[in-house]
Amino acid sequence: MNFHITPSGKKLVTVIPGDGIGPECVESAMRIIEATGAPIDWEVRHAGASVFKQGIASGVPQDTIESIAKTRVVLKGPLETPVGYGEKSANVTLRKLFETYGNIRPVRELPGVKTRYSGSGVDLVVVRENVEDLYAGIEHMQTPGVAQCLKLISAKGCEKIVRLAFELARAEGRRSVACATKSNIMKLTEGMLKRTFEAIAPEYPDIQAWHIIIDNCAHQLVKNPAQFDVIVTTNMNGDIISDLTSALIGGLGFAPSANIGNEVAIFEAVHGSAPKYAGKNVINPTAVILSAVMMLRHLGEFEAAAAIEHAVLVTLESGVLTRDVVGDANAASTTAYTDAIIANLGKRSANWTVRDYKPIRLPQVSDHPVAVVPKSRRVVGVDVFVEWPGDPASLGRSLEAIAEGTPLRLKMISNRGTKVYPSVGAITDCVDHWRCRFVLRDEHNGADLNDADLLALLQRVAAQHRWMHVEKLPEFDGQPGYTKAQGED
Ligand code: NAP
């Protein structure tokens, strides 16, 4: 990665102070970095609430984008997400604008921070895919009463995040990577991460690789978190379990993160802007400080990073703790805590060590949009989604009549994924959103459904029914590229 070097030989970092408690946390981290003497210079830019108030709907102004494109490295405070329709989260926008596909969230047990897991040796990293999945934010109202969010997972996205997880494990000298998915239910999307993981794992024989269903992963994390080392997972799973893992070590005040891309990296706390504490000098800045430590390692400043991590451990061990850990009485203010860390730079704890880090080798995956080329492909049918206020049997009879004389026949209708026509005797509380599956008739077995026949059918359906979208039913290399409804043969 090409960092921007200033005329005085320093590495330039874009700083976004953020909203709520953001500016206090970021200032604390900047003061500590400056005290180490690391060759870092700052370019302050803005995003989030103040920018939305100026009427910039993305929450990210052009000069912030330009600064990041130049420096390639960002230290960021939390940004408030606007509540309501339309405006997108500026956090998600920043992550997606710069393709920071990997979200790395380490947690480790810390001295002086008592939790019910103290002494168990929690020290793990969640590697969360950061730009795909339900967070691609592609949502549509299908009917006035039914909403849809597309869960998009790509083979390329899976390869990048899986390789990043294994490379991180190597760089940090970790022993295992667990892949946590819901592939048992979402076989194509979540299953793609599992299959990619299984295909790539043999390239890392020095690292133990295993798969775990995400709900059991949550259960095991609460039961015995020390069994985990690195966990790689999809975007939403990772969002949820990384908040869980932060609670294992004392809460959001201690959970750092890095958003890693091949061009840009953004370092920020897992926590949000906690507006009720803004400007009160009471919050815990450790999460942003440890995010800044990750940033220093990313910039190759390993010595300064280790010095800060040691100083944080020494400070916590000495009992200088913020309000979130010890309550109001005896709490150090944000600034007093920061001063204590600065005073402890150069000291080392006798009881707590810091890992030996090597630079992460970022995965090099082709930037060509096509990641998979099948040897054969064809379309075997089409799902037509219809808004219908009535019962499934009358819709079914109507669609069967519509398909008569065409190469397609109605195979079944499902409602929210459960087959309701022909009836299998299920007791389903239906809504006005029906997936009507048409497949090529037996006499066309082995054929490829052409667009003319598909559009002719759609036109016939449209003459009598309100449809809202269609999905082709593809087959790649003889394998169905779609799943069956519950109850479908
Ligand atoms: P939050 O800001 O993380 O705060 C939730 C609670 O966590 C706080 O009330 C506080 O707990 C505790 N907490 C968080 N950070 C702390 C710190 N540094 N020191 C001490 N305690 C801390 O979550 P939220 O209230 O759900 O979200 C507030 C806003 O932040 C929302 O607009 C949200 O969208 C946004 N957000 C931004 C990011 C980001 O920028 N990456 C991430 C998450 C949320 P107690 O109340 O128990 O003291």
Side-chain angles (χ1 to χ4, degrees):
M1 198 172 286
N2 295 325
F3 302 123
H4 185 93
I5 309 294
T6 64
S8 57
K10 294 184 173 179
K11 290 166 185 161
L12 191 63
V13 169
T14 302
V15 179
I16 301 176
D19 303 321
I21 61 171
E24 296 162 70
C25 300
V26 168
E27 193 197 321
S28 164
M30 287 167 74
R31 279 179 54 210
I32 295 168
I33 289 179
E34 280 161 12
T36 65
I40 306 293
D41 231 343
W42 314 104
E43 186 161 274
V44 179
R45 290 291 182 269
H46 295 281
S50 59
V51 177
F52 284 118
K53 278 184 199 132
Q54 289 166 29
I56 299 173
S58 67
V60 185
Q62 193 56 32
D63 69 341
T64 302
I65 293 174
E66 280 163 17
S67 173
I68 298 171
K70 177 176 69 183
T71 65
R72 308 289 172 112
V73 182
V74 184
L75 180 63
K76 178 183 152 298
L79 307 179
E80 203 179 295
T81 308
V83 179
Y85 291 99
E87 280 158 332
K88 296 264 184 185
S89 153
N91 291 307
V92 178
T93 300
L94 277 171
R95 288 173 200 162
K96 290 178 74 85
L97 276 180
F98 295 102
E99 192 64 33
T100 58
Y101 61 84
N103 188 242
I104 299 176
R105 297 186 165 189
V107 291
R108 67 170 288 196
E109 183 177 339
L110 293 164
V113 186
K114 290 239 167 2
T115 72
R116 59 194 74 183
Y117 297 96
S118 292
S120 70
V122 176
D123 180 5
L124 61 89
V125 188
V126 176
V127 178
R128 162 191 171 193
E129 200 290 322
N130 213 23
V131 291
E132 301 195 335
D133 197 0
L134 295 162
Y135 291 29
I138 307 171
E139 296 191 276
H140 298 95
M141 291 306 294
Q142 297 277 289
T143 78
V146 179
Q148 171 192 271
C149 179
L150 286 188
K151 181 175 170 81
L152 278 186
I153 305 277
S154 72
K156 196 174 171 183
C158 291
E159 180 175 350
K160 282 157 81 171
I161 199 66
V162 166
R163 288 193 183 281
L164 182 65
F166 279 112
E167 291 296 341
L168 174 118
R170 271 199 181 153
E172 298 193 358
R174 292 180 180 271
R175 65 188 188 284
S176 79
V177 179
C179 176
T181 75
K182 195 70 187 170
S183 56
N184 51 331
I185 303 295
M186 288 166 273
K187 297 182 194 305
L188 297 184
T189 50
E190 292 277 318
M192 187 177 280
L193 183 70
K194 179 173 183 277
R195 288 189 294 278
T196 308
F197 179 78
E198 287 164 352
I200 290 173
E203 294 179 35
Y204 297 86
D206 47 322
I207 293 163
Q208 188 205 342
W210 53 298
H211 177 263
I212 184 165
I213 301 285
I214 185 66
D215 35 345
N216 185 31
C217 180
H219 168 236
Q220 293 295 332
L221 276 168
V222 173
K223 213 171 140 191
N224 177 18
Q227 68 185 293
F228 292 98
D229 210 352
V230 176
I231 302 171
V232 63
T233 189
T234 49
N235 203 339
M236 186 154 136
N237 291 338
D239 194 7
I240 296 167
I241 62 160
S242 61
D243 263 35
L244 186 161
T245 55
S246 69
L248 301 174
I249 51 103
L252 286 170
F254 292 101
S257 84
N259 301 283
I260 300 284
N262 283 356
E263 304 296 333
V264 166
I266 302 173
F267 299 84
E268 60 179 337
V270 170
H271 66 69
S273 58
K276 67 182 176 188
Y277 295 124
K280 295 193 174 147
N281 198 22
V282 295
I283 51 85
N284 182 354
T286 312
V288 175
I289 296 168
L290 294 178
S291 305
V293 166
M294 295 174 83
M295 178 188 83
L296 288 172
R297 291 197 172 106
H298 178 76
L299 288 164
E301 300 294 334
F302 289 95
E303 219 173 287
I308 297 174
E309 199 173 338
H310 279 296
V312 168
L313 294 172
V314 171
T315 304
L316 294 171
E317 203 174 19
S318 72
V320 178
L321 296 156
T322 43
R323 203 205 112 271
D324 53 319
V325 186
V326 286
D328 284 323
N330 307 319
S333 67
T334 308
T335 44
Y337 178 73
T338 306
D339 291 339
I341 294 173
I342 292 171
N344 285 328
L345 285 169
K347 295 185 191 158
R348 299 200 164 209
S349 161
N351 309 308
W352 296 77
T353 54
V354 167
R355 238 169 221 289
D356 196 14
Y357 291 84
K358 295 189 196 71
I360 301 182
R361 219 172 48 115
L362 288 181
Q364 295 305 316
V365 178
S366 155
D367 60 4
H368 193 279
V370 181
V372 182
V373 182
K375 289 193 184 68
S376 69
R377 63 192 297 164
R378 68 184 187 114
V379 176
V380 299
V382 61
D383 280 346
V384 181
F385 291 75
V386 169
E387 181 180 340
W388 169 254
D391 64 289
S394 50
L395 177 63
R397 284 193 297 273
S398 160
L399 292 172
E400 277 164 352
I402 285 169
E404 251 169 50
T406 77
L408 291 149
R409 66 176 173 89
L410 179 73
K411 184 178 181 219
M412 64 103 208
I413 300 173
S414 71
N415 196 283
R416 288 171 301 148
T418 302
K419 181 177 163 188
V420 289
Y421 182 84
S423 172
V424 285
I427 303 168
T428 314
D429 182 10
C430 291
V431 299
D432 59 350
H433 177 267
W434 310 86
R435 187 248 310 253
C436 310
R437 175 159 288 178
F438 295 90
V439 294
L440 284 165
R441 293 178 189 278
D442 290 348
E443 56 265 37
H444 299 279
N445 208 0
D448 183 17
L449 172 62
N450 62 53
D451 283 354
D453 286 337
L454 191 162
L455 291 170
L457 175 82
L458 193 58
Q459 227 160 16
R460 291 167 79 140
V461 172
Q464 293 184 43
H465 297 281
R466 191 191 293 274
W467 63 278
M468 81 293 284
H469 90 245
V470 293
E471 289 281 350
K472 287 181 177 178
L473 303 179
E475 230 181 54
F476 300 119
D477 295 329
Q479 294 300 317
Y482 55 93
T483 55
K484 286 184 174 165
Q486 300 300 139
E488 182 183 355
D489 297 324

